[in-house]
Amino acid sequence: MGLTLVTKEKSSTALQSLTTTSPKEIEETVLSTMESILDFEEKLNRDFSVREYVLTKTPTTEQLTKAKKVMAFAMTPLPQADIEQELLNTLAVMAKQTGLTQKDYAVKLRLMAQDLDDFPADILLFATKYIRRTKTFFPSLSEIREAGEWRYYKRKLLFEMVHKSTNK
């Protein structure tokens, strides 16, 4: 990803916030915080959805440092073991596929967790909660990603804007 939290303490603080706050609230907080740090604008598609965020003024080193910290905080994923546990919790309440053994499920959950480690913690929890409430059968990886992707999109665009500005 490129931007990482430096200490376990900061990661722990981020996880505490992300796992107890809705993705919508996190998104609003991140956007307003980023607007207070950087000068940027939204570029929209024809349907008025956000296509990208573009800096309108070159940020100072201090502004970039603050923006990186905000984005690192907002992009903090659950630890791998916690992602696997969340998937296991989802599996526990859904109809299971016939013919799969416990070992098959363990492998499946581990591989799915590895492919979901880019989702911030709040978005992964949102997606699995949505799946549990709306689906009957344990989902594919793409179904879980689809459930969270729309929440992840703006945050990812902000992250990319900051990342691009640090690589100039």
Side-chain angles (χ1 to χ4, degrees):
M1 273 253 150
L3 299 179
T4 56
L5 292 168
V6 197
T7 67
K8 285 186 180 186
E9 182 181 310
K10 286 183 182 179
S11 179
S12 180
T13 302
L15 283 173
Q16 177 62 33
S17 179
L18 291 172
T19 58
T20 58
T21 310
S22 76
K24 182 181 181 192
E25 291 174 281
I26 296 290
E27 180 181 308
E28 290 169 355
T29 301
V30 168
L31 270 171
S32 67
T33 304
M34 292 297 282
E35 286 170 349
S36 73
I37 297 170
L38 301 173
D39 294 313
F40 65 94
E41 65 183 11
E42 292 180 336
K43 297 288 184 178
L44 303 177
N45 293 312
R46 290 181 187 197
D47 66 357
F48 300 103
S49 62
V50 178
R51 180 179 69 233
E52 70 177 326
Y53 291 103
V54 179
L55 289 170
T56 56
K57 186 177 169 187
T58 304
T60 65
T61 304
E62 182 182 327
Q63 288 172 314
L64 271 178
T65 300
K66 285 180 185 177
K68 283 187 211 179
K69 286 179 182 177
V70 169
M71 291 313 305
F73 189 92
M75 299 296 276
T76 302
L78 283 172
Q80 194 70 30
D82 291 352
I83 297 172
E84 288 179 34
Q85 184 61 52
E86 184 63 20
L87 292 172
L88 184 60
N89 293 347
T90 302
L91 175 65
V93 298
M94 306 191 91
K96 295 168 186 60
Q97 289 177 281
T98 56
L100 289 182
T101 66
Q102 203 170 6
K103 185 176 180 181
D104 294 334
Y105 278 115
V107 170
K108 183 176 185 166
L109 295 181
R110 190 174 329 106
L111 291 173
M112 289 176 85
Q114 289 171 0
D115 283 342
L116 291 167
D117 69 353
D118 61 321
F119 268 10
D122 62 317
I123 293 172
L124 177 74
L125 295 173
F126 169 85
T128 55
K129 183 176 183 179
Y130 173 80
I131 292 287
R132 286 192 299 268
R133 291 181 174 188
T134 61
K135 306 293 181 193
T136 304
F137 295 95
F138 190 72
S140 65
L141 173 63
S142 64
E143 288 173 304
I144 295 173
R145 290 197 71 83
E146 185 178 310
E149 197 68 44
W150 68 279
R151 276 277 171 225
Y152 181 46
Y153 186 69
K154 280 186 178 180
R155 211 176 299 179
K156 186 176 173 186
L157 291 177
L158 282 169
F159 173 85
E160 289 170 355
M161 176 187 70
V162 172
H163 188 68
K164 285 178 193 173
S165 67
T166 60
N167 289 335
K168 289 182 178 181

